[in-house]
Amino acid sequence: MENQNTVRKPRALSCIQPSGVPTLGNYLGALRNWVDMQDEYECFFAVADLHAITVRQEPAKFRQQIREMFALLLAIGLNPEKSLLFVQSQVPSHAQLAWLLACHTQYGELSRMTQFKDKAQKHADNINLGLFAYPSLMAADILLYRPDVVPVGADQKQHVELTRDIGERFNSLYGDVFVIPEPTIMKTGARVRSLQEPARKMSKSDENQNAFISLKDDPDTVMRKFRRAVTDSEACVCYGEGKDGINNLMEIYSACTGKPLDGIEAEFDGRGYGDFKTAVGEAVADTLRPIQERFREFMADKAQLDALMKQGAERAETVARRTLDKAMKKMGFVII
């Protein structure tokens, strides 16, 4: 019999699209926290590939990106024995529940989503139904696993709030089916900025390749990009107003080494920006090296990677199907 004093860990769910290689900013600001979450939460992590097709994808490249993202999540330290890691499209319940929830989502709610407006402007030649309705799929992604919390960035909070509205609407019509999750703004690590325009956040879609560090950048590339990073004319490694470039480099160095900002100032007192940029580049390269080594190992063993995908999908479908069947039964569908 289960020990009644056992406290169940709260359940959390996080997803990431396989749209290109994450940046150092994605890792230090969010993904590294996913690894830490595994001790505090019962975690579900998904590669959200169904969301990626609201924008046209080249099939062979897309297939490779899905595999690489799954391998990268393993490489950063997500442990399939501690968490449930899966690819969204390999769990059919996601698409099925998305249709049920789409029928309980109002046009006005979807039309207010700021991300739809932003993406519609960027992809004016392909404003498709999926782009408009994907918050219903996102609601399905979340509600299927009955999480207590959904850690998100500030830009996704609106979608989790809509998920709550949809779940509450469904429960009020049919009875208790879904857990209504709490959106929690993810505890962020370093606020990593563009190396070329430090007033903006680092982005993998930046046209300037020197503006961001990819998690797959080799040490020589990392060092070259940091040597070209924007600073200022003071030549003083100190944190302060109007020093966006140096502030950014100091925060990156702090996140990679664990050193406090005042300790960094003392370490580089009287030394120029050249020395500091070299130190930051070396710290970042050292941080990425073990991730890249594990990533190459996972990518080199296709059979193992496929087996872990299959295992994760089967486990996820077992959990998701229970929720889907309950929702369908409540709505009046015949479950056989």
Side-chain angles (χ1 to χ4, degrees), residues 46-335:
V47 177
D49 52 344
L50 290 175
H51 284 289
I53 63 170
T54 59
V55 176
R56 294 279 182 267
Q57 302 288 340
E58 194 280 305
K61 181 180 178 183
F62 184 44
R63 188 176 298 113
Q64 181 72 4
Q65 287 176 329
I66 294 168
R67 288 184 176 281
E68 288 190 353
M69 184 60 74
F70 191 84
L72 198 55
L73 293 179
L74 292 167
I76 67 171
L78 299 189
N79 185 346
E81 295 183 4
K82 296 172 68 174
S83 303
L84 209 166
L85 175 61
F86 62 96
V87 176
Q88 177 195 30
S89 65
Q90 296 171 354
V91 182
S93 293
H94 284 255
Q96 199 166 350
L97 183 61
W99 173 248
L100 303 187
L101 297 183
C103 295
H104 293 81
T105 308
Q106 301 302 304
Y107 175 87
E109 292 174 318
L110 293 175
S111 63
R112 288 193 292 272
M113 296 291 105
T114 56
Q115 284 216 341
F116 167 71
K117 297 173 184 176
D118 293 342
K119 289 192 174 184
Q121 287 183 336
K122 291 179 182 177
H123 304 280
D125 60 335
N126 184 27
I127 305 176
N128 57 73
L129 177 59
L131 187 64
F132 184 68
Y134 87 93
S136 294
L137 175 58
M138 186 173 177
D141 299 336
I142 295 169
L143 296 174
L144 275 172
Y145 299 98
R146 301 170 61 84
D148 301 291
V149 298
V150 182
V152 292
D155 60 336
Q156 289 291 339
K157 188 169 185 286
Q158 186 183 35
H159 287 139
V160 181
E161 289 170 346
L162 177 58
T163 294
R164 287 172 54 84
D165 292 341
I166 296 169
E168 288 170 348
R169 182 178 300 135
F170 194 99
N171 285 353
S172 69
L173 288 169
Y174 304 108
D176 181 24
V177 176
F178 301 122
V179 170
I180 307 304
E182 291 291 335
T184 59
I185 299 301
M186 189 181 296
K187 178 185 70 174
T188 57
R191 289 170 52 85
V192 180
R193 301 296 184 175
S194 162
L195 299 181
Q196 294 298 310
E197 298 180 69
R200 299 170 46 210
K201 74 175 184 178
M202 183 177 287
S203 171
K204 61 190 172 188
S205 61
D206 200 312
E207 293 182 3
N208 187 342
Q209 295 293 305
N210 290 314
F212 63 91
I213 302 293
S214 161
L215 293 193
K216 290 172 63 177
D217 280 346
D218 60 64
D220 288 344
T221 302
V222 169
M223 295 303 297
R224 184 177 70 251
K225 289 182 178 181
F226 275 108
R227 289 193 185 104
R228 295 176 178 175
V230 169
T231 52
D232 54 56
S233 59
E234 287 187 12
C236 172
V237 180
C238 53
Y239 200 91
E241 188 174 347
K243 294 176 65 68
D244 292 346
I246 284 297
N247 292 348
N248 185 36
L249 296 183
M250 290 181 68
E251 289 184 5
I252 292 171
Y253 190 62
S254 175
C256 290
T257 64
K259 297 177 181 179
L261 296 178
D262 56 357
I264 296 170
E265 290 179 353
E267 180 182 355
F268 290 92
D269 183 31
R271 297 166 65 183
Y273 285 165
D275 284 353
F276 183 52
K277 287 181 177 183
T278 297
V280 178
E282 289 174 347
V284 169
D286 288 344
T287 297
L288 298 185
R289 187 173 292 108
I291 296 172
Q292 293 171 350
E293 289 173 355
R294 289 193 296 267
F295 172 76
R296 286 192 290 268
E297 290 171 3
F298 282 116
M299 290 301 295
D301 192 341
K302 182 175 181 293
Q304 182 196 28
L305 196 64
D306 285 354
L308 288 171
M309 276 190 188
K310 188 171 188 292
Q311 179 188 81
E314 290 173 349
R315 289 175 58 203
E317 180 65 12
T318 298
V319 176
R321 190 76 209 185
R322 285 197 294 266
T323 305
L324 175 63
D325 283 353
K326 186 175 182 180
M328 293 184 71
K329 187 175 181 180
K330 289 281 192 178
M331 288 182 68
F333 288 99
V334 177
I335 307 297

